[in-house]
Amino acid sequence: SRTDRVLKVEEFYLHDPTANRFELWRNFFKKENPTQLVPKGLKIAVLNDRQSFLWAIEESYQEKLLFKGHYVKTYSHAANLLDDMRVGRETFDVILSDLHVPGGGGYHVVQTLRARGYKGVIIAASAYPELTYMAQALYKRGFDGMFAIPEIFELNPHWYDRLNQGLRNYFYYRHTNGWMR
């Protein structure tokens, strides 16, 4: 069982906190800006076996549209990500992982890294719908959130805004709720 936080489904799916009027007013009086809560210079890994998605990530990152000010590295095989981390070639603050990827996928990655004591953020990025039981299952396995991204998500205009906003939302919720990771 997890002791780092309590599961709230809306927060797990990284929904915009300002959609809630109470949160909007609370932020107004606190004068907190969720954009300012994201640590600078994060190292972010993206694991996905769909090459078109990885190309879109890399292109948007190079054009400074996605995760501006952070370091991003993409992987198409879970073993490569885990090997890079195991031998110390790479360290990551945040990992965005599809659930089904060659070499074990997100389930294997989260299980392996949590067993090694990894305290960073692991967010699922999957085409599965936002269902309560899905959030509960991923949360129990050690995921910290999920982006529901349908197939060919990257063909939608400004798709990268959803990922940028989701990252801001994660750190807002972490700050507001005192999450440990």
Side-chain angles (χ1 to χ4, degrees):
S1 70
R2 291 181 60 172
T3 59
D4 60 304
R5 69 185 245 210
V6 174
L7 174 65
K8 293 182 183 173
V9 175
E10 292 293 309
E11 294 174 357
F12 188 82
Y13 286 120
L14 308 174
H15 291 176
D16 188 355
T18 60
N20 175 331
R21 286 181 191 253
F22 173 74
E23 288 293 325
L24 185 63
W25 282 107
R26 187 167 89 169
N27 292 343
F28 176 78
F29 288 111
K30 282 183 162 182
K31 299 198 182 331
E32 284 184 351
N33 179 346
T35 304
Q36 298 169 343
L37 299 175
V38 178
K40 303 234 185 279
L42 291 173
K43 293 182 77 178
I44 302 170
V46 178
L47 173 63
N48 196 295
D49 61 340
R50 203 160 34 84
Q51 196 58 53
S52 63
F53 182 71
L54 294 179
W55 287 334
I57 292 282
E58 291 168 0
E59 183 178 333
S60 296
Y61 172 67
Q62 293 299 324
E63 293 176 6
K64 298 186 184 340
L65 298 171
L66 179 67
F67 304 140
K68 185 178 178 180
H70 305 293
Y71 167 81
V72 175
K73 185 167 183 178
T74 60
Y75 292 88
S76 60
H77 199 284
N80 296 339
L81 168 63
L82 292 171
D83 286 346
D84 276 358
M85 293 181 74
R86 183 179 50 81
V87 299
R89 276 190 295 266
E90 292 285 357
T91 58
F92 295 103
D93 304 299
V94 177
I95 298 171
L96 303 180
S97 179
D98 192 358
L99 297 177
H100 301 287
V101 179
Y107 294 116
H108 177 64
V109 167
V110 77
Q111 179 182 6
T112 301
L113 291 177
R114 296 297 185 216
R116 291 181 191 166
Y118 178 73
K119 301 289 185 205
V121 179
I122 304 176
I123 298 173
S126 176
Y128 285 106
E130 294 181 356
L131 301 171
T132 299
Y133 79 87
M134 186 70 177
Q136 292 167 337
L138 293 172
Y139 172 82
K140 285 179 185 175
R141 288 181 179 244
F143 284 94
D144 299 303
M146 179 177 151
F147 288 111
I149 54 170
E151 293 292 323
I152 64 170
F153 170 75
E154 67 277 11
L155 296 181
N156 293 319
H158 306 288
W159 62 270
Y160 44 81
D161 288 338
R162 167 71 176 106
L163 296 182
N164 288 327
Q165 184 63 48
L167 188 67
R168 288 190 295 271
N169 293 349
Y170 172 81
F171 282 101
Y172 168 80
Y173 288 130
R174 185 168 100 171
H175 172 77
T176 301
N177 298 324
W179 295 344
M180 293 181 193
R181 65 171 194 241

